[in-house]
Amino acid sequence: MNEKEFLAAYDKGNFEAPLVTVDAVLFTYQDSQLKVLLVERSNHPEQGKWALPGGFISESEDKTLEDTVTRKLKEKTGVVPPYVEQLATFGGASRDQRGWSVTICYTALIAHQACESELETISDIAWLPIE
């Protein structure tokens, strides 16, 4: 069997796979305070709690992890920072109630003025002081 035949017959479903998501830690500086953007969860698990904006990777839509974090930020907040940087990766069997999961976390800094009008119209997001 050559590599082309191997890949044609390969079934990724033969292996267990963790849930894979991205999260964004989006910072701004406003009123002499460093703030972080949080989103109120609209679905279970943890419905109604505040969380970092993020979500699942889409194999059909995203070519890179950066595509995913940009897409999820736009979907959930309307904000697309000019630059994102990978911060850390977290994973484990108990970090998500739905199953073993891995989250790749990104960070970005955005001028408050650049996104203020976008965010004022969304009721389930908030800039909260780091304290």
Side-chain angles (χ1 to χ4, degrees):
M1 173 183 295
N2 63 34
E3 187 166 347
K4 185 177 180 180
E5 293 167 333
F6 170 80
L7 292 173
Y10 184 80
D11 181 3
K12 66 181 179 180
N14 287 337
F15 301 94
E16 290 185 63
L19 304 169
V20 182
T21 59
V22 297
D23 286 323
V25 184
L26 191 56
F27 293 105
T28 197
Y29 192 75
Q30 178 197 22
D31 301 327
S32 300
Q33 291 183 315
L34 184 62
K35 296 182 178 182
V36 65
L37 187 66
L38 296 180
V39 177
E40 187 176 10
R41 292 181 60 90
S42 58
N43 297 312
H44 294 290
E46 309 291 342
Q47 185 176 26
K49 291 188 177 180
W50 291 93
L52 298 170
F56 289 97
I57 293 168
S58 169
E59 289 185 53
S60 62
E61 294 178 70
D62 305 324
K63 293 183 179 165
T64 66
L65 293 169
E66 290 78 13
D67 289 346
T68 305
V69 73
T70 301
R71 178 177 56 81
K72 295 312 291 183
L73 277 170
K74 184 152 181 69
E75 287 175 6
K76 294 190 174 195
T77 70
V79 172
V80 177
Y83 173 78
V84 293
E85 183 173 327
Q86 197 173 123
L87 176 65
T89 302
F90 304 94
S94 61
R95 70 169 303 279
D96 190 313
Q97 297 174 40
R98 295 168 287 191
W100 215 108
S101 70
V102 174
T103 294
I104 301 93
C105 189
Y106 283 81
T107 188
L109 180 63
I110 191 165
H112 190 264
Q113 299 84 348
C115 60
E116 186 173 19
S117 62
E118 294 282 339
L119 299 179
E120 284 179 350
T121 62
I122 304 172
S123 62
D124 62 346
I125 63 174
W127 286 109
L128 297 177
I130 295 297
E131 298 124 23

